[in-house]
Amino acid sequence: MEQPHDYYERERKMKPSRVTINAPKRSLSSTVTQSQPLLFFPDELIREILLRLPARSLVRLQRVCSSWKTLISSSQFAKDHLQHSTAAGPSLSGPRVAYHHSCSYGFGDFSLRSLVENPSKPTEVVLFEERRNHRVIGSCNGLLCLLFHVDGINIFVRLWNPCTGLLTPPSVGCGDFLSVCGFGYDHVNDNYKFVGIVNHMGEYNTRIYTFCRNPSNRAIQEIPFNSIMGDDKGVFVPGTATLSWIRSHAILGCLVFSLDLVKETFSEFSLPFSDPHGKIFFFPRLCVLRNCLSYCFNHEKTHWFVWIMMEYGVPESWTKLAIIPCLPRLSDYHLRPLYIWGNNILVAVATPSRIVLYNLDNGSFEFPLLKPTPSIGLSVFIYHESLVSPLYPGLTNSSSQIQLIKP
């Protein structure tokens, strides 16, 4: 592998030397002379070092030398880096919050680390002006799934990595598309999939699109869209290859409606906490916390209950995580948990535009500010910066097939 020393040596020769008069002389170690080259590291060691750097830094380091560019841009390195950074925690994975507000056409993101570690200082919001007419459907492995209209009629799907700037071309026309949809990753077949309900001349059918070398767009078992409650965008649970929605049932009340992205079949299982006194639940919502399916709802407008499913699809594994009191300033808001920072800070968004930090240990609240203050709405997603490419095999990086967007 070409060593970075070669790169810096070329840079040094291109720059004029600067001479300092009467500068103090520095003695060299007896074991090192000016004529000796820098030490060379084995390729395996260089790879291990690079795996421990944030994705955004690695994007810049591709310019150091050709061998580093080849290594960092390889799909296997991207997968290994994603796995390592996710295990290492937020210090390396760089979690960010992406939001989209369909009414104001606002699209941007901001750093979760800055939000939590400096709540008294307004966190800077990065606006994606070139993508402001895109709608965010979901996030997975550092990729955002986007919908956008062409001529106000046809709807297309694209995948975008905000960290690397890679954006796929319009992949599939959805026709007259309904809001019930979802995006996730089939780790068994190493494919990203988008599912949605399409209205074609008054007939509704559920279709699934696979991003791969031989893309497919086919009908599958119907989603009962009339009974979907809460967020109409399916929640992807990492490691399970599933999308989940809340579905109302005439007899059983509310259930989790789950799509297996590998088998492309549906199943259902129960939600926690059936109140024997028949009290009212408001704003039921699914989310992901600690890589587990979670459930949040407002109980009698007095408290928010947050539950976490320790083993996906096993109702007995539902565990109560928190009971959050409804402060007067939160009573009329929809609360959507986003992330647990460390062991005790629950990050949530109280739509339309309020961020909430809730301490699970002592029950305290903080309300950090964003600059500029966006209208966040309900389309809010956590994504971890990664090197994963949205370009599936067979899709090359040419101007006719790909757009490069500055991160």
Side-chain angles (χ1 to χ4, degrees), residues 3-14 38 61 64 68:
Q3 297 288 317
H5 167 69
D6 303 333
Y7 169 82
Y8 292 116
E9 184 67 18
R10 292 196 301 269
E11 291 290 308
R12 185 186 65 80
K13 291 180 180 180
M14 295 174 61
L38 295 177
L61 288 176
V64 169
W68 282 27

Side-chain angles (χ1 to χ4, degrees), residues 327-353:
L327 300 181
R329 63 195 303 183
L330 292 177
S331 59
D332 295 327
Y333 285 81
H334 295 237
L335 193 71
R336 177 172 181 175
L338 295 177
Y339 193 83
I340 297 180
W341 186 275
N343 295 320
N344 63 339
I345 302 299
L346 176 64
V347 184
V349 56
T351 56
S353 59

Side-chain angles (χ1 to χ4, degrees), residues 2 16 32 39 45 50 69 77 93 99 103 111 120-121 124 128 171 211 249 259 264 277 286 308 311 331 364 374 396:
E2 180 186 0
V32 179
L39 295 177
L45 180 57
L50 294 179
K69 181 178 181 180
F77 182 86
S93 61
Y99 73 90
C103 295
S111 167
S120 60
K121 181 181 178 181
E124 194 73 24
F128 302 135
S171 298
F211 298 87
H249 192 281
L259 168 62
E264 299 181 357
H277 303 293
L286 294 178
I308 187 168
E311 184 177 352
S331 59
S364 62
T396 59

Side-chain angles (χ1 to χ4, degrees), residues 376-392:
I376 296 177
L378 292 177
S379 296
V380 185
F381 300 90
I382 291 287
Y383 77 94
H384 297 265
E385 291 189 321
S386 78
L387 301 171
V388 173
S389 174
L391 303 178
Y392 39 89

